[in-house]
Amino acid sequence: MAQTTRSIHDTLYRSLVEGLRAARERSGLRQEDIAAAIGMTQSMYSKIERSERRVDLLEFVLISRAMSADPSRLLKAFLADADELQAAASSMAKRRK
């Protein structure tokens, strides 16, 4: 069984958050704009982008929609990145053995 990690410091999680941040920047919105749109303080939203607080699925959808982004496209982009990251990690682990 594959081991999973739930840390906000996990490489895959940081990749997900980076995708949200990049989408926000492309949309031209500020953290304050997204936070207000989803009923969150700017400080709380900032913690998500700094990987100090986990974003749950519903928040991911709300954040995506607040920036007029398609949540499924953002998730597909993340999954493509995740596959690459996992393949690289697996390759590195094999080299260490």
Side-chain angles (χ1 to χ4, degrees):
M1 177 183 233
Q3 183 178 9
T4 60
T5 183
R6 297 179 47 95
S7 171
I8 59 175
H9 305 292
D10 178 67
T11 302
L12 290 174
Y13 181 73
R14 287 194 308 265
S15 175
L16 175 71
V17 171
E18 175 59 27
L20 279 177
R21 186 194 58 76
R24 178 186 57 77
E25 289 178 349
R26 282 191 305 272
S27 75
L29 296 172
R30 301 170 302 153
Q31 288 181 348
E32 295 88 356
D33 301 323
I34 300 296
I38 65 171
M40 181 182 284
T41 65
Q42 181 277 330
S43 175
M44 288 281 288
Y45 182 79
S46 176
K47 287 180 181 184
I48 291 172
E49 286 195 4
R50 292 190 324 253
S51 295
E52 293 176 8
R53 178 183 176 279
R54 280 189 90 74
V55 62
D56 69 27
L57 180 60
L58 296 177
E59 288 172 331
F60 181 86
V61 171
L62 290 173
I63 291 166
S64 300
R65 289 183 175 164
M67 60 181 89
S68 299
D70 179 356
S72 64
R73 284 187 183 202
L74 289 177
L75 190 54
K76 284 179 187 176
F78 162 72
L79 291 173
D81 288 345
D83 288 344
E84 290 178 24
L85 288 169
Q86 286 182 324
S90 177
S91 176
M92 288 176 60
K94 286 179 184 176
R95 280 187 244 149
R96 286 186 205 150
K97 290 183 178 181

